[in-house]
C-alpha cells in the first residue's frame, strides 16, 4: 500500500532554451507542471502561444483530413479482438525517426491526396447526375419516336405524359366523346404508366385527357430517340465508373502511407502539448522559470537529464508544504498493481490516507471467485486475458484491467476447484456442493464480509496512528471492534461452544458500550459539553446495525454463485436430455456452447459489478474517503 512520495521541482533557465528543456521533460514524462498564479507577471503573452497553437492545429487538421480519406477508401479491417480494443500501429524507434524525417515529403503527399479526393468527388457527382438522367429516361425507354417528331404535324397532335390509373379510363373517355385517337404505353414505374397519344388537332382530346388526370410531361431530350440517349448515358456512366475505380485504386495505394501520417499526427500532438505547457511557465525578458511535481525516487534521474543537456540552469528540489495539494501516484508490487485499477475507478486516496490496492487484492480475488464460482469459467476468462495481452499493445490502464480479470479468473478457478464445479459438472467430491448446501455458501460469504470489514476498521485505526491520533485509534476503533466482537459472541456464542461464558460476554458487551459513550465525550470541556456528547455515543452504538447490514450485503456473493451454478446445471441437464436422441449430439453441442457462453458472459459481468460494489460501498466505508488528484506529468 504505497502512495509515491513527491518532491517539488523548480527549474530556471534562459528563455531561448525553454523549448529544449520542455522537450526533454516531455520525453522523460516524470514532471507535472504547476500552473503559476494568474497575477504572476509574465512577459510572454497568451496571444503568442495562441498563434503557435493555431499553426499546430492547422497541421493536425490537415493530417486528420488525410487519415479520414484513408479510412474512407482503405479502411482498416480490425480482427475480432481489435473490434473491442481498437487498432494500433506499432513502430520501432528507428521507424518512428525515419517517418519524422519525411515531413517535407508528407506535405507533397497531402496535396496529392487532396487532389485525388477532389477529383474522385467530381467524378462521383458527375456519375450521380448521369444516373439521375438515366433514371428519369428509363420509364420512356419504349418510346422510339425521335424528339423532333414530338410536336406532331399540322393536322396531327402528339401528347406525351403519365397517368396514375389504368389507361382504359382515358381511352373510354375519348371514345365517349367520339374523338379519333391512337395511343401506346411506352413504359411504367411503380406508380405511373407513361403514354403517348396521337389525335386530331381540332379535337378536344387534350382537354378530355387532362380532365381525367392525365399529366402531360416529356423526357428531357432535344434530339434523337430515348433509346439512343440512354445508350450514350450508359456508356458515359461506364466510363465514369472506370475512372472512379482507377482513382479509388490510386487512393488505396496512397493509403499505404498511413503509418507516416499517424506518426506525424503524434508528433504534432506532442508539439501541441509542449506549447500548451508554455502557459505554465514564468517568463521574463531573458529568463524562464517553471515549478512542478516529480516522484521523489525519480528526482536524481531528472537532475541527470537536465544536467546532460549542458545548458545553463538552476534546478532545486524541495519537500512539499503541509497545506499543498500533492498529486497522487500509486506504486505497488506487481501482484497488487492490477487492483490499482479498482481504486482509480473509485477515487485516488488523499495524501493523508493509505493506498487500498493491496488491501483490496485478496478480498476482491475471493469475492470474484465466489460470485463466478466455476473453475471452467475462471480458466476461460484467464485464457482470454492472456490472449488479449499477447495480441494487443495496450496502454497501462488497459493492461491493468486485463491483469485484474486474469487474476479474478484464477479466483474463480480456486473456488470452483474447492466446490468441484467445472462448467457446471461436479467431477469429484469437493469441500461442499453449492447447490446442495447453499446455507454453507451463505456462511462463507458473510464470514468473508465480516473479515473484510474488520480489516477496514483496523486500517482506519492504523491511519489514525500514522497521523498521530492515538486516542481515536484506541477509543474510536479499538473499543468499537471489541464491542462488535462482543455482540457477535452474544448472538452466536452458544453455537461456538461458549455457552459457559455467556455472563462474561454480556458484561463485556455492556462495558464496551459504556466505553464507546465515554469515548465520545473525550476532548469536550465542561460538564454540559460532555453531557451533550452522550447522545452521539448512543448513535455510535446504534451504528452497529449499519455495520451488520453491510455484512449482510455480502450475501449477494452467495446469490450470484448459486444462480450461476443452477444455470450451469440446467444447461447440462438439457445437454444430457438431447444427447441420446437421433443426431441429438449436434443439438447437445450447440446447447452446451451457447448456454455456457451466455451464462459465462452474464456471470463475469455480474461478478465484477457486485464485487466492486462491495469494495466501494462496504469496505471503503470503514476507512477510505478518496478525493486525491491524479499525477498528470507532461509526457509524449
Amino acid at each position: 500500500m504505497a502512495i509515491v512520495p513527491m518532491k517539488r521541482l523548480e527549474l530556471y533557465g534562459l528563455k531561448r532554451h525553454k523549448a529544449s528543456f520542455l522537450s526533454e521533460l516531455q520525453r522523460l514524462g516524470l514532471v507535472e507542471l504547476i500552473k503559476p498564479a494568474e497575477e504572476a507577471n509574465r512577459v510572454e503573452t497568451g496571444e503568442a502561444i495562441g498563434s503557435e497553437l493555431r499553426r499546430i492545429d492547422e497541421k493536425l487538421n490537415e493530417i486528420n483530413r488525410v487519415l479520414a480519406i484513408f479510412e474512407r477508401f482503405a479502411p482498416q479491417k480490425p480482427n475480432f479482438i481489435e473490434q473491442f480494443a481498437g487498432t494500433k500501429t506499432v513502430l520501432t524507434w528507428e521507424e518512428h525517426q525515419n517517418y519524422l524525417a519525411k515531413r517535407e515529403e508528407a506535405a507533397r503527399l497531402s496535396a496529392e491526396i487532396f487532389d485525388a479526393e477532389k477529383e474522385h468527388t467530381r467524378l462521383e457527382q458527375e456519375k450521380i447526375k448521369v444516373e439521375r438522367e438515366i433514371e428519369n429516361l428509363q420509364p420512356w425507354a419504349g418510346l422510339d419516336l425521335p424528339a423532333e417528331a414530338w410536336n406532331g404535324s399540322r393536322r396531327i397532335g402528339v401528347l406525351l405524359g403519365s397517368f396514375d390509373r389504368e389507361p382504359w379510363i382515358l381511352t373510354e373517355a375519348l371514345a365517349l366523346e367520339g374523338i379519333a385517337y391512337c395511343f401506346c404505353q411506352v413504359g411504367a414505374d411503380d406508380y405511373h404508366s407513361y403514354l403517348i397519344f396521337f389525335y386530331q388537332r381540332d379535337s378536344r382530346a387534350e382537354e378530355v385527357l387532362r380532365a381525367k388526370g392525365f399529366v402531360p410531361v416529356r423526357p428531357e431530350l432535344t434530339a434523337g430517340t430515348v433509346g439512343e440517349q440512354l445508350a450514350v448515358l450508359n456508356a458515359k456512366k461506364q466510363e465514369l465508373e472506370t475512372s472512379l475505380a482507377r482513382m479509388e485504386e490510386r487512393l488505396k495505394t496512397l493509403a499505404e502511407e498511413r503509418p507516416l501520417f499517424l506518426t506525424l499526427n503524434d508528433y504534432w500532438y506532442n508539439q501541441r502539448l509542449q506549447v500548451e505547457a508554455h502557459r505554465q511557465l514564468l517568463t521574463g525578458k531573458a529568463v524562464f522559470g517553471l515549478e512542478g511535481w516529480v516522484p521523489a525516487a525519480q528526482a536524481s534521474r531528472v537532475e541527470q537529464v537536465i544536467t546532460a543537456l549542458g545548458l545553463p540552469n538552476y534546478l532545486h528540489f524541495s519537500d512539499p508544504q503541509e497545506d499543498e495539494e500533492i498529486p497522487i501516484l500509486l506504486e505497488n508490487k506487481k501482484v497488487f498493481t492490477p487492483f490499482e485499477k479498482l481504486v482509480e475507478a473509485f477515487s485516488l486516496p488523499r495524501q493523508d490516507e493509505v493506498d487500498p490496492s493491496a488491501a483490496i487484492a485478496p478480498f476482491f480475488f475471493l469475492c470474484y471467485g465466489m460470485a463466478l464460482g466455476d473453475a471452467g469459467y475462471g480458466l476461460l476468462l484467464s485464457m482470454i486475458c492472456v490472449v488479449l495481452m499477447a495480441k494487443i499493445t495496450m496502454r497501462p490502464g488497459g493492461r491493468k484491467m486485463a491483469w485484474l480479470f486474469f487474476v479474478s479468473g484464477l479466483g474463480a478457478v480456486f473456488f470452483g476447484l474447492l466446490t468441484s464445479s467445472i462448467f457446471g459438472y461436479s467431477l469429484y467430491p469437493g469441500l461442499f456442493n453449492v447447490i446442495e448446501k447453499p446455507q454453507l455458501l451463505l456462511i462463507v460469504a458473510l464470514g468473508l464480509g465480516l473479515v473484510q470489514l474488520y480489516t477496514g476498521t483496523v486500517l482506519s485505526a492504523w491511519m489514525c496512528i500514522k497521523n498521530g491520533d492515538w486516542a481515536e485509534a484506541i477509543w474510536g476503533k479499538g473499543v468499537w471492534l471489541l464491542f462488535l466482537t462482543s455482540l457477535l459472541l452474544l448472538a452466536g456464542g452458544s453455537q461456538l461452544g461458549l455457552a459457559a461464558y455467556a455472563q462474561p460476554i454480556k458484561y463485556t458487551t455492556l462495558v464496551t458500550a459504556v466505553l464507546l459513550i465515554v469515548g465520545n465525550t473525550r476532548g469536550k470541556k465542561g460538564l454540559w459539553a460532555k453531557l451533550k456528547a452522550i447522545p452521539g455515543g448512543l448513535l455510535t452504538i446504534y451504528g452497529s446495525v449499519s455495520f451488520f447490514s453491510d455484512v449482510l450485503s455480502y450475501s449477494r456473493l452467495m446469490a450470484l454463485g448459486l444462480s450461476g451454478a443452477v444455470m450451469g446445471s440446467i444447461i447440462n441437464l438439457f445437454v444430457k436430455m438431447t444427447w441420446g436422441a437421433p443426431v441429438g449430439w449436434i443439438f447437445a453441442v450447440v446447447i452446451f456452447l451457447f448456454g455456457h457462453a451466455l451464462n459465462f458472459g452474464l456471470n463475469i459481468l455480474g461478478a465484477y459489478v457486485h464485487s466492486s460494489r462491495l469494495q466501494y460501498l462496504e469496505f471503503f466505508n470503514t476507512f477510505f474517503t478518496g478525493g486525491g488528484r491524479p499525477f498528470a506529468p507532461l509526457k509524449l
Side-chain angles (χ1 to χ4, degrees), residues 159 228 276 280 295 353 469 483 570:
L159 188 62
E228 291 171 347
E276 284 180 333
Q280 296 168 297
E353 292 184 316
D469 192 353
F483 174 68
I570 291 173

Side-chain angles (χ1 to χ4, degrees), residues 187-366:
D189 58 22
D190 293 339
Y191 305 103
H192 298 91
S193 298
Y194 292 85
L195 311 170
I196 179 169
F197 279 89
F198 300 89
Y199 59 93
Q200 292 181 338
R201 283 197 181 277
D202 57 0
S203 69
R204 297 176 53 250
E206 185 172 349
E207 181 184 343
V208 171
L209 291 172
R210 286 177 181 270
K212 288 295 181 179
F214 181 80
V215 179
V217 62
R218 288 185 176 187
E220 295 181 6
L221 194 63
T222 56
T225 66
V226 172
E228 291 171 347
Q229 182 65 14
L230 281 173
V232 171
L233 290 173
N234 281 317
K236 188 175 182 181
K237 178 184 175 183
Q238 186 65 38
E239 182 183 342
L240 289 170
E241 286 176 345
T242 303
S243 299
L244 278 169
R246 189 166 54 247
M247 194 58 62
E248 287 174 5
E249 195 61 36
R250 175 60 183 154
L251 285 164
K252 286 179 182 178
T253 302
L254 290 169
E256 294 174 5
E257 299 292 342
R258 182 185 269 115
L260 167 62
F261 287 95
L262 289 172
T263 303
L264 292 177
N265 188 65
D266 277 4
Y267 170 79
W268 286 111
Y269 184 71
N270 285 325
Q271 290 293 111
R272 194 183 199 287
L273 292 175
Q274 192 179 129
V275 172
E276 284 180 333
H278 283 69
R279 300 184 190 276
Q280 296 168 297
L281 303 184
L282 291 167
T283 55
K285 291 182 179 179
V287 178
F288 81 91
L290 66 83
E291 294 180 312
W293 296 107
V294 61
Q298 300 292 342
S300 59
R301 184 182 173 195
V302 173
E303 186 173 11
Q304 288 173 2
V305 170
I306 294 298
T307 304
L309 280 174
L311 301 175
N313 69 84
Y314 172 75
L315 181 64
H316 176 67
F317 296 98
S318 60
D319 292 326
Q321 302 298 316
E322 289 186 5
D323 58 342
E324 284 186 299
E325 183 187 14
I326 304 169
I328 302 298
L329 179 65
L330 304 181
E331 185 179 53
N332 289 280
K333 293 181 179 179
K334 286 186 178 180
V335 68
F336 300 130
T337 299
F339 297 93
E340 291 176 2
K341 196 65 183 174
L342 289 171
V343 179
E344 292 166 1
F346 180 78
S347 178
L348 289 171
R350 300 193 311 266
Q351 189 66 28
D352 59 344
E353 292 184 316
V354 297
D355 172 15
S357 303
I360 284 178
F363 295 107
F364 189 86
F365 175 85
L366 294 172

Side-chain angles (χ1 to χ4, degrees), residues 428-467:
Y428 57 89
L431 289 182
F432 67 96
N433 187 292
V434 170
I435 298 176
E436 293 176 358
K437 296 182 179 179
Q439 300 91 341
L440 185 54
L441 181 62
L442 177 61
I443 291 170
V444 173
L446 296 180
L448 177 63
L450 191 63
V451 172
Q452 185 168 21
L453 297 185
Y454 264 57
T455 302
T457 307
V458 171
L459 285 173
S460 181
W462 181 67
M463 286 169 55
C464 292
I465 294 171
K466 178 185 172 185
N467 296 328

Side-chain angles (χ1 to χ4, degrees), residues 530-562:
K530 290 183 182 295
L531 289 173
K532 285 197 299 182
I534 289 176
L538 294 173
L539 286 175
T540 302
I541 294 172
Y542 183 75
S544 60
V545 175
S546 176
F547 179 89
F548 289 114
S549 70
D550 286 346
V551 173
L552 283 174
S553 293
Y554 284 77
S555 61
R556 70 185 62 242
L557 298 176
M558 182 272 291
L560 288 167
L562 184 60

Side-chain angles (χ1 to χ4, degrees), residues 15-34:
K15 185 178 177 181
R16 65 177 182 270
H17 296 150
K18 66 179 178 178
S20 299
F21 283 110
L22 282 176
S23 179
E24 200 62 22
L25 290 177
Q26 186 180 29
R27 187 187 64 80
L28 270 176
L30 295 173
V31 178
E32 177 185 315
L33 301 182
I34 300 173

Side-chain angles (χ1 to χ4, degrees), residues 63-73:
I63 292 170
N64 285 327
R65 184 182 164 194
V66 169
L67 293 174
I69 293 170
F70 288 167
E71 192 58 31
R72 177 186 170 191
F73 292 99

